[in-house]
Amino acid sequence: MRRYVQHSEHILIFECDNVKLLFAVAAEIGAAQGGGTELLNLLRIMVLCLLGSAANLRAQPADVDGEKEIERYRAMINDPMANPGYLAVDRGEVLWAMARGGKNVSLEKCDLGAGPGVLDGVAAHLPRYFADADQVMDLEQRLLHCMRTLQGLDTKDVIARRFGSPGKTSDMEDLVAFIGNKSLGMKYQASLSHPKEREMANIGEAMFYRRSAINDFACATCHGDDGRRIRLQALPDLSKPGATAREVMASWPAYRVSQSQTRTMQHRLWDCYRQMRMPAPDYASEGITALTMYLAKLGDGATINVPSIKR
């Protein structure tokens, strides 16, 4: 569908095919010579164009699959030379070796579960119980613990920048991307041998099904059954073990295309609570770790692929 409007030197061309409006403007609309009437006519034509385009969209064949297109895009950029998440990996590597804090030391002696400084495979077993803290911790909790005890670092600024935004990087997201990438290709093995680990998994499961806040939502409202969607986005069923749960646990941290940021599981769960209109959970809280432990139990055996690409 194509429409032309011409008024003296004022020329505007609309091309409506495939919901495209291509404007060729020779002079500003409504500048003079009856611009008010012309602008009204132009608006009428734009409405007709959009109505025609909407009809074309409704007539699209059923085999046009938005989810397949999203997956094709992810696959296209999901390699180290194209995935922007690897920028966070590189920044995290620098932060891991950087001396700072009151003790002016790096994190290279931090014990993430496999011994001081060992990184290979540690993300495949987190969250886990740490005897020195007598607590089950996820990676971000453990990093904060090492910053405070090993480096003597005041973590107020680190926590204030826990989630990155345009022009503001997050030390935690960068460190998690770097450490998580050290388990690339390994199998995820949920740590459930200690009683406190099993207790955390049970608490996390109870939280998954607990309905609350103004919408009376729970995690299970969106993630408690197969086939649920929000717009084009398929919602994973996280109520049972299986391939879907393994894919989820294998893919965080991830680069979020819609946010232009690398995000961790802490952010993913925080954002879920925000969307459910629940009070924001405290960063690195035991509640978030409990939910993560529940998901880890379901995702046991996943092949880790981080940083991945997500919408």
Side-chain angles (χ1 to χ4, degrees), residues 89-109:
V89 172
D90 292 342
R91 290 193 300 267
E93 184 175 12
V94 173
L95 287 168
W96 178 257
M98 182 184 296
R100 56 181 182 170
K103 300 179 182 179
N104 195 35
V105 297
S106 72
L107 286 168
E108 292 169 305
K109 296 298 182 182

Side-chain angles (χ1 to χ4, degrees), residues 6 61 109 154 172 181 202 245 248 282 310:
Q6 179 173 343
K109 296 298 182 182
D154 184 346
M172 296 303 292
N181 183 247
N202 291 335
V248 169
D282 291 340
K310 293 186 181 289

Side-chain angles (χ1 to χ4, degrees), residues 37-310:
T37 302
E38 173 139 331
L39 183 57
L40 181 59
N41 289 333
L42 295 175
L43 289 173
R44 288 170 176 165
I45 292 169
M46 288 179 69
V47 170
L48 290 172
C49 287
L50 291 173
L51 287 173
S53 298
N56 288 339
L57 283 176
R58 287 194 295 271
Q60 291 291 327
D63 60 355
V64 176
D65 192 330
E67 187 68 22
K68 287 182 180 178
E69 287 301 305
I70 292 172
E71 289 302 324
R72 187 177 68 84
Y73 172 72
R74 288 173 181 160
M76 183 173 63
I77 60 176
N78 192 23
D79 72 72
M81 301 305 295
N83 183 344
Y86 278 86
L87 297 174
V89 172
D90 292 342
R91 290 193 300 267
E93 184 175 12
V94 173
L95 287 168
W96 178 257
M98 182 184 296
R100 56 181 182 170
K103 300 179 182 179
N104 195 35
V105 297
S106 72
L107 286 168
E108 292 169 305
K109 296 298 182 182
C110 178
D111 186 354
L112 297 176
V118 178
L119 296 179
D120 291 348
V122 295
H125 300 275
L126 291 169
R128 67 181 301 161
Y129 175 76
F130 289 90
D132 60 354
D134 190 27
Q135 185 179 346
V136 177
M137 295 177 166
D138 73 351
L139 181 51
E140 284 159 274
Q141 282 180 303
R142 188 62 180 176
L143 285 170
L144 287 173
H145 175 81
C146 285
M147 288 175 181
R148 292 162 181 157
T149 60
L150 181 64
Q151 294 183 302
L153 182 69
D154 184 346
T155 58
K156 288 181 182 178
D157 176 63
V158 173
I159 293 173
R161 293 183 295 108
R162 59 195 178 276
F163 304 140
S165 59
K168 183 180 73 174
T169 59
S170 163
D171 290 1
M172 296 303 292
E173 288 175 336
D174 291 347
L175 282 165
V176 171
F178 167 61
I179 296 166
N181 183 247
K182 289 293 184 179
S183 297
L184 182 67
M186 299 182 185
K187 294 291 185 181
Y188 192 86
Q189 300 176 39
S191 299
L192 295 166
S193 59
H194 194 278
K196 289 196 174 184
E197 292 169 342
R198 295 191 293 272
E199 179 186 31
M200 269 294 196
N202 291 335
I203 293 171
E205 183 175 8
M207 291 177 65
F208 181 82
Y209 289 101
R210 185 179 187 275
R211 305 173 73 99
S212 61
I214 59 174
N215 288 335
D216 194 32
F217 273 14
C219 301
T221 304
C222 291
H223 299 287
D225 205 353
D226 289 323
R228 294 181 179 174
R229 307 176 70 86
I230 294 180
R231 297 178 294 277
L232 286 178
Q233 186 67 34
L235 298 172
D237 179 3
L238 300 176
S239 65
K240 59 188 177 184
T244 301
R246 287 195 295 271
E247 182 182 356
V248 169
M249 286 309 296
S251 58
W252 291 96
Y255 181 79
R256 297 295 304 272
V257 175
S258 59
Q259 301 175 20
S260 300
Q261 299 290 328
T262 301
R263 298 304 194 193
T264 65
M265 181 61 80
Q266 282 270 345
H267 182 274
R268 175 63 270 174
L269 294 176
W270 172 86
D271 201 34
C272 283
Y273 273 90
R274 179 189 65 83
Q275 292 179 66
M276 291 190 289
R277 305 298 186 264
M278 292 186 182
D282 291 340
Y283 181 69
S285 65
E286 289 185 296
I288 293 298
T289 299
L291 268 174
T292 306
M293 181 63 87
Y294 165 69
L295 296 176
K297 180 180 177 181
L298 299 181
D300 190 61
T303 301
I304 294 173
N305 177 33
V306 297
S308 66
I309 293 281
K310 293 186 181 289

